[in-house]
Short mmCIF file of all heavy atoms in Angstrom, two decimals:
data_model
loop_
_atom_site.label_atom_id
_atom_site.label_comp_id
_atom_site.label_asym_id
_atom_site.label_seq_id
_atom_site.Cartn_x
_atom_site.Cartn_y
_atom_site.Cartn_z
N GLU A 1 0.91 -1.23 -0.05
CA GLU A 1 -0.03 0.06 0.02
C GLU A 1 0.88 1.30 0.00
O GLU A 1 0.58 2.23 -0.77
CB GLU A 1 -0.97 0.02 1.30
CG GLU A 1 -1.85 1.12 1.22
CD GLU A 1 -2.87 1.11 0.15
OE1 GLU A 1 -3.23 0.09 -0.32
OE2 GLU A 1 -3.30 2.17 -0.43
N THR A 2 1.99 1.22 0.72
CA THR A 2 2.89 2.36 0.73
C THR A 2 3.48 2.62 -0.67
O THR A 2 3.60 3.73 -1.04
CB THR A 2 4.01 2.21 1.85
OG1 THR A 2 3.40 1.94 3.09
CG2 THR A 2 4.89 3.34 1.90
N TYR A 3 3.90 1.47 -1.24
CA TYR A 3 4.45 1.76 -2.57
C TYR A 3 3.50 2.36 -3.56
O TYR A 3 3.78 3.14 -4.31
CB TYR A 3 4.94 0.40 -3.12
CG TYR A 3 5.43 0.36 -4.61
CD1 TYR A 3 6.60 0.92 -4.96
CD2 TYR A 3 4.48 -0.03 -5.56
CE1 TYR A 3 7.03 0.98 -6.27
CE2 TYR A 3 4.90 0.00 -6.89
CZ TYR A 3 6.17 0.50 -7.16
OH TYR A 3 6.63 0.50 -8.38
N THR A 4 2.26 1.89 -3.54
CA THR A 4 1.25 2.45 -4.41
C THR A 4 0.95 3.92 -4.07
O THR A 4 0.79 4.66 -5.10
CB THR A 4 -0.05 1.61 -4.21
OG1 THR A 4 0.18 0.23 -4.40
CG2 THR A 4 -1.16 2.05 -5.22
N ALA A 5 0.97 4.35 -2.86
CA ALA A 5 0.66 5.53 -2.59
C ALA A 5 1.91 6.48 -3.08
O ALA A 5 1.69 7.57 -3.60
CB ALA A 5 0.54 5.89 -0.95
N MET A 6 3.01 6.06 -2.79
CA MET A 6 4.23 6.73 -3.19
C MET A 6 4.31 6.81 -4.69
O MET A 6 4.79 8.00 -5.34
CB MET A 6 5.50 6.10 -2.69
CG MET A 6 5.66 6.26 -1.15
SD MET A 6 5.53 7.94 -0.48
CE MET A 6 7.23 8.34 -0.84
N ARG A 7 3.90 5.91 -5.41
CA ARG A 7 3.97 5.88 -6.86
C ARG A 7 2.93 6.79 -7.39
O ARG A 7 3.19 7.67 -8.34
CB ARG A 7 3.66 4.38 -7.43
CG ARG A 7 3.45 4.25 -8.78
CD ARG A 7 4.85 4.40 -9.48
NE ARG A 7 4.73 4.42 -10.94
CZ ARG A 7 4.92 3.47 -11.78
NH1 ARG A 7 5.22 2.26 -11.29
NH2 ARG A 7 4.73 3.56 -13.08
N HIS A 8 1.78 6.83 -6.82
CA HIS A 8 0.75 7.85 -7.25
C HIS A 8 1.24 9.32 -6.96
O HIS A 8 1.07 10.13 -7.81
CB HIS A 8 -0.43 7.62 -6.56
CG HIS A 8 -1.58 8.56 -6.89
ND1 HIS A 8 -2.23 8.57 -8.08
CD2 HIS A 8 -2.26 9.48 -6.11
CE1 HIS A 8 -3.19 9.51 -8.08
NE2 HIS A 8 -3.07 10.10 -7.04
N PHE A 9 1.88 9.47 -5.86
CA PHE A 9 2.37 10.93 -5.60
C PHE A 9 3.40 11.19 -6.57
O PHE A 9 3.39 12.47 -7.06
CB PHE A 9 2.85 10.83 -4.08
CG PHE A 9 3.54 12.24 -3.78
CD1 PHE A 9 2.77 13.34 -3.53
CD2 PHE A 9 4.91 12.38 -3.74
CE1 PHE A 9 3.28 14.50 -3.16
CE2 PHE A 9 5.41 13.59 -3.50
CZ PHE A 9 4.65 14.68 -3.26
N ALA A 10 4.38 10.28 -6.83
CA ALA A 10 5.39 10.63 -7.77
C ALA A 10 4.95 10.97 -9.19
O ALA A 10 5.47 11.75 -9.96
CB ALA A 10 6.51 9.66 -7.69
N ASP A 11 3.90 10.05 -9.64
CA ASP A 11 3.40 10.26 -10.92
C ASP A 11 2.59 11.63 -11.08
O ASP A 11 2.59 12.13 -12.19
CB ASP A 11 2.36 9.12 -11.29
CG ASP A 11 3.22 7.81 -11.58
OD1 ASP A 11 4.42 7.85 -11.77
OD2 ASP A 11 2.44 6.78 -11.64
N SER A 12 2.05 12.15 -10.10
CA SER A 12 1.26 13.39 -10.22
C SER A 12 1.96 14.58 -9.71
O SER A 12 2.41 15.37 -10.49
CB SER A 12 -0.11 13.13 -9.48
OG SER A 12 0.13 12.86 -8.06
N TRP A 13 2.07 14.60 -8.44
CA TRP A 13 2.64 15.85 -7.86
C TRP A 13 4.22 15.95 -8.06
O TRP A 13 4.87 17.08 -8.10
CB TRP A 13 2.43 15.95 -6.28
CG TRP A 13 0.99 16.10 -6.05
CD1 TRP A 13 0.05 15.21 -5.69
CD2 TRP A 13 0.18 17.45 -6.29
NE1 TRP A 13 -1.25 15.82 -5.65
CE2 TRP A 13 -1.17 17.11 -5.96
CE3 TRP A 13 0.52 18.52 -6.85
CZ2 TRP A 13 -2.17 18.10 -6.16
CZ3 TRP A 13 -0.43 19.67 -6.96
CH2 TRP A 13 -1.79 19.39 -6.63
N GLY A 14 4.86 14.81 -8.14
CA GLY A 14 6.40 14.81 -8.35
C GLY A 14 6.68 15.31 -9.75
O GLY A 14 7.56 16.11 -9.89
N LEU A 15 5.87 14.90 -10.69
CA LEU A 15 6.00 15.43 -12.12
C LEU A 15 5.74 16.99 -12.19
O LEU A 15 6.59 17.66 -12.79
CB LEU A 15 5.12 14.66 -12.94
CG LEU A 15 5.22 15.05 -14.45
CD1 LEU A 15 6.64 14.82 -14.98
CD2 LEU A 15 4.18 14.42 -15.30
N LEU A 16 4.76 17.36 -11.43
CA LEU A 16 4.46 18.91 -11.48
C LEU A 16 5.60 19.50 -10.72
O LEU A 16 5.98 20.55 -11.17
CB LEU A 16 3.13 19.14 -10.73
CG LEU A 16 2.80 20.53 -10.53
CD1 LEU A 16 2.41 21.13 -11.83
CD2 LEU A 16 1.62 20.65 -9.60
N ALA A 17 6.11 19.10 -9.65
CA ALA A 17 7.29 19.81 -9.00
C ALA A 17 8.48 19.88 -9.89
O ALA A 17 9.22 20.84 -9.88
CB ALA A 17 7.58 19.04 -7.68
N MET A 18 8.79 18.72 -10.41
CA MET A 18 10.03 18.76 -11.32
C MET A 18 9.81 19.69 -12.53
O MET A 18 10.79 20.33 -12.97
CB MET A 18 10.36 17.31 -11.90
CG MET A 18 10.93 16.46 -10.71
SD MET A 18 11.47 14.88 -11.38
CE MET A 18 9.94 14.04 -11.77
N THR A 19 8.63 19.78 -13.05
CA THR A 19 8.35 20.57 -14.21
C THR A 19 8.49 22.17 -13.83
O THR A 19 9.04 22.92 -14.47
CB THR A 19 6.97 20.44 -14.83
OG1 THR A 19 6.79 19.01 -15.14
CG2 THR A 19 6.61 21.27 -15.97
N LEU A 20 7.88 22.45 -12.56
CA LEU A 20 8.05 23.79 -12.11
C LEU A 20 9.51 24.13 -11.84
O LEU A 20 9.81 25.27 -12.12
CB LEU A 20 7.16 23.96 -10.88
CG LEU A 20 5.71 23.96 -11.12
CD1 LEU A 20 4.88 24.05 -9.78
CD2 LEU A 20 5.22 25.08 -12.02
N TYR A 21 10.28 23.29 -11.29
CA TYR A 21 11.70 23.42 -11.00
C TYR A 21 12.45 23.77 -12.32
O TYR A 21 13.24 24.62 -12.42
CB TYR A 21 12.25 22.31 -10.23
CG TYR A 21 13.71 22.43 -9.91
CD1 TYR A 21 14.13 23.26 -8.81
CD2 TYR A 21 14.77 21.84 -10.72
CE1 TYR A 21 15.50 23.45 -8.67
CE2 TYR A 21 16.01 22.01 -10.29
CZ TYR A 21 16.44 22.80 -9.37
OH TYR A 21 17.68 22.88 -9.10
N PHE A 22 12.21 22.92 -13.22
CA PHE A 22 12.87 23.12 -14.60
C PHE A 22 12.47 24.36 -15.15
O PHE A 22 13.35 25.16 -15.69
CB PHE A 22 12.40 21.95 -15.58
CG PHE A 22 12.89 22.18 -16.92
CD1 PHE A 22 14.15 21.88 -17.28
CD2 PHE A 22 12.02 22.58 -17.93
CE1 PHE A 22 14.70 21.98 -18.57
CE2 PHE A 22 12.44 22.82 -19.22
CZ PHE A 22 13.78 22.54 -19.54
N LEU A 23 11.13 24.87 -15.18
CA LEU A 23 10.85 26.19 -15.72
C LEU A 23 11.47 27.19 -14.94
O LEU A 23 11.91 28.22 -15.54
CB LEU A 23 9.31 26.30 -15.71
CG LEU A 23 8.55 25.41 -16.72
CD1 LEU A 23 6.93 25.46 -16.52
CD2 LEU A 23 9.00 25.61 -18.06
N GLY A 24 11.60 27.19 -13.65
CA GLY A 24 12.27 28.10 -12.75
C GLY A 24 13.65 28.32 -13.22
O GLY A 24 14.21 29.40 -13.27
N VAL A 25 14.30 27.15 -13.42
CA VAL A 25 15.76 27.30 -13.83
C VAL A 25 15.89 27.86 -15.24
O VAL A 25 16.84 28.71 -15.42
CB VAL A 25 16.36 25.81 -13.91
CG1 VAL A 25 17.79 25.84 -14.52
CG2 VAL A 25 16.53 25.30 -12.41
N VAL A 26 15.09 27.60 -16.16
CA VAL A 26 15.09 28.14 -17.44
C VAL A 26 14.88 29.68 -17.40
O VAL A 26 15.61 30.47 -17.99
CB VAL A 26 14.14 27.39 -18.43
CG1 VAL A 26 13.95 28.31 -19.60
CG2 VAL A 26 14.55 26.04 -18.66
N VAL A 27 13.91 30.12 -16.58
CA VAL A 27 13.76 31.43 -16.46
C VAL A 27 14.81 32.24 -15.74
O VAL A 27 15.24 33.35 -16.13
CB VAL A 27 12.33 31.76 -15.63
CG1 VAL A 27 12.13 33.24 -15.21
CG2 VAL A 27 11.08 31.28 -16.45
N PHE A 28 15.42 31.61 -14.76
CA PHE A 28 16.60 32.13 -13.97
C PHE A 28 17.74 32.35 -14.96
O PHE A 28 18.49 33.38 -14.96
CB PHE A 28 16.97 31.26 -12.82
CG PHE A 28 18.08 31.80 -12.17
CD1 PHE A 28 17.94 32.90 -11.22
CD2 PHE A 28 19.44 31.22 -12.27
CE1 PHE A 28 18.96 33.35 -10.54
CE2 PHE A 28 20.39 31.62 -11.55
CZ PHE A 28 20.32 32.74 -10.71
N ILE A 29 18.02 31.33 -15.89
CA ILE A 29 19.09 31.38 -16.82
C ILE A 29 18.85 32.43 -17.95
O ILE A 29 19.83 33.20 -18.29
CB ILE A 29 19.39 30.06 -17.38
CG1 ILE A 29 19.92 29.10 -16.29
CG2 ILE A 29 20.32 30.11 -18.61
CD1 ILE A 29 19.93 27.65 -16.82
N PHE A 30 17.70 32.58 -18.42
CA PHE A 30 17.44 33.39 -19.57
C PHE A 30 16.86 34.86 -19.11
O PHE A 30 16.38 35.51 -19.96
CB PHE A 30 16.57 32.74 -20.56
CG PHE A 30 17.20 31.76 -21.30
CD1 PHE A 30 16.70 30.30 -21.05
CD2 PHE A 30 18.17 31.87 -22.14
CE1 PHE A 30 17.39 29.32 -21.69
CE2 PHE A 30 18.77 30.84 -22.79
CZ PHE A 30 18.34 29.50 -22.52
N ARG A 31 17.02 35.17 -17.85
CA ARG A 31 16.67 36.49 -17.41
C ARG A 31 17.50 37.55 -18.03
O ARG A 31 18.64 37.27 -18.33
CB ARG A 31 16.56 36.62 -15.91
CG ARG A 31 17.79 36.63 -15.23
CD ARG A 31 17.68 36.52 -13.74
NE ARG A 31 18.92 36.94 -13.03
CZ ARG A 31 20.06 36.21 -12.95
NH1 ARG A 31 20.03 34.84 -13.39
NH2 ARG A 31 21.08 36.50 -12.29
N PRO A 32 17.01 38.86 -17.98
CA PRO A 32 17.90 39.80 -18.85
C PRO A 32 19.22 40.00 -18.11
O PRO A 32 20.14 40.30 -18.74
CB PRO A 32 16.97 41.08 -18.55
CG PRO A 32 15.62 40.69 -18.45
CD PRO A 32 15.68 39.32 -17.70
N GLY A 33 19.31 40.00 -16.83
CA GLY A 33 20.67 40.19 -16.22
C GLY A 33 21.67 39.11 -16.09
O GLY A 33 22.70 39.22 -15.59
N ALA A 34 21.20 37.91 -16.72
CA ALA A 34 22.03 36.74 -16.53
C ALA A 34 23.31 36.79 -17.42
O ALA A 34 24.18 36.01 -17.31
CB ALA A 34 21.18 35.63 -16.83
N THR A 35 23.31 37.58 -18.52
CA THR A 35 24.44 37.55 -19.38
C THR A 35 25.69 38.04 -18.81
O THR A 35 26.74 37.29 -19.01
CB THR A 35 24.09 38.47 -20.64
OG1 THR A 35 22.86 38.10 -21.26
CG2 THR A 35 25.25 38.44 -21.69
N ASN A 36 25.63 39.03 -17.98
CA ASN A 36 26.95 39.38 -17.25
C ASN A 36 27.48 38.51 -16.29
O ASN A 36 28.69 38.17 -16.23
CB ASN A 36 26.62 40.73 -16.53
CG ASN A 36 26.36 41.88 -17.54
OD1 ASN A 36 26.78 41.86 -18.73
ND2 ASN A 36 25.63 42.88 -17.07
N ALA A 37 26.53 37.81 -15.60
CA ALA A 37 26.89 36.78 -14.59
C ALA A 37 27.48 35.60 -15.31
O ALA A 37 28.48 35.01 -14.88
CB ALA A 37 25.74 36.27 -13.82
N ALA A 38 27.02 35.25 -16.46
CA ALA A 38 27.50 34.10 -17.29
C ALA A 38 28.88 34.39 -17.83
O ALA A 38 29.79 33.53 -17.79
CB ALA A 38 26.54 33.68 -18.36
N VAL A 39 29.03 35.61 -18.32
CA VAL A 39 30.37 35.95 -18.81
C VAL A 39 31.46 36.02 -17.75
O VAL A 39 32.60 35.45 -17.91
CB VAL A 39 30.31 37.33 -19.53
CG1 VAL A 39 31.65 37.90 -19.90
CG2 VAL A 39 29.47 37.20 -20.76
N GLU A 40 31.03 36.55 -16.52
CA GLU A 40 31.98 36.56 -15.37
C GLU A 40 32.32 35.13 -14.89
O GLU A 40 33.43 34.85 -14.66
CB GLU A 40 31.52 37.43 -14.30
CG GLU A 40 31.40 38.76 -14.44
CD GLU A 40 30.76 39.53 -13.35
OE1 GLU A 40 30.66 39.09 -12.27
OE2 GLU A 40 30.36 40.77 -13.54
N ALA A 41 31.34 34.20 -14.89
CA ALA A 41 31.60 32.83 -14.38
C ALA A 41 32.43 32.13 -15.51
O ALA A 41 33.18 31.23 -15.01
CB ALA A 41 30.29 32.22 -14.25
N SER A 42 32.25 32.39 -16.69
CA SER A 42 33.04 31.62 -17.64
C SER A 42 34.59 32.05 -17.65
O SER A 42 35.42 31.40 -18.19
CB SER A 42 32.47 31.87 -19.16
OG SER A 42 32.70 33.25 -19.50
N ALA A 43 34.85 33.24 -17.11
CA ALA A 43 36.21 33.74 -17.16
C ALA A 43 36.97 33.29 -15.93
O ALA A 43 38.18 33.45 -15.72
CB ALA A 43 36.19 35.19 -17.21
N ILE A 44 36.28 32.70 -14.87
CA ILE A 44 36.86 32.31 -13.57
C ILE A 44 38.01 31.38 -13.78
O ILE A 44 39.16 31.63 -13.17
CB ILE A 44 35.83 31.63 -12.62
CG1 ILE A 44 34.83 32.70 -12.21
CG2 ILE A 44 36.50 30.97 -11.55
CD1 ILE A 44 33.75 32.20 -11.43
N PRO A 45 37.99 30.35 -14.66
CA PRO A 45 39.28 29.43 -14.74
C PRO A 45 40.48 30.20 -15.44
O PRO A 45 41.52 29.78 -15.22
CB PRO A 45 38.80 28.34 -15.72
CG PRO A 45 37.25 28.41 -15.65
CD PRO A 45 36.91 29.82 -15.25
N LEU A 46 40.19 31.26 -16.09
CA LEU A 46 41.30 31.99 -16.72
C LEU A 46 41.98 33.02 -15.89
O LEU A 46 42.97 33.53 -16.19
CB LEU A 46 40.79 32.54 -18.05
CG LEU A 46 40.13 31.59 -19.06
CD1 LEU A 46 39.53 32.36 -20.15
CD2 LEU A 46 41.10 30.52 -19.48
N LYS A 47 41.25 33.35 -14.73
CA LYS A 47 41.89 34.38 -13.88
C LYS A 47 43.16 33.72 -13.14
O LYS A 47 43.12 32.59 -12.69
CB LYS A 47 40.85 34.87 -12.78
CG LYS A 47 39.75 35.53 -13.46
CD LYS A 47 38.75 36.04 -12.27
CE LYS A 47 37.67 36.81 -12.93
NZ LYS A 47 36.63 37.33 -11.83
#
């Protein structure tokens, strides 16, 4: 019974949570101010 409940939760709310997390990461990466941070982070190994 526990397995069935956990499987149902993962199939419904788990998928929703992972989708929202993915969309949040995409929005965070492609926000307008992210370009400067990405350029600075890419130069760290060369400093």
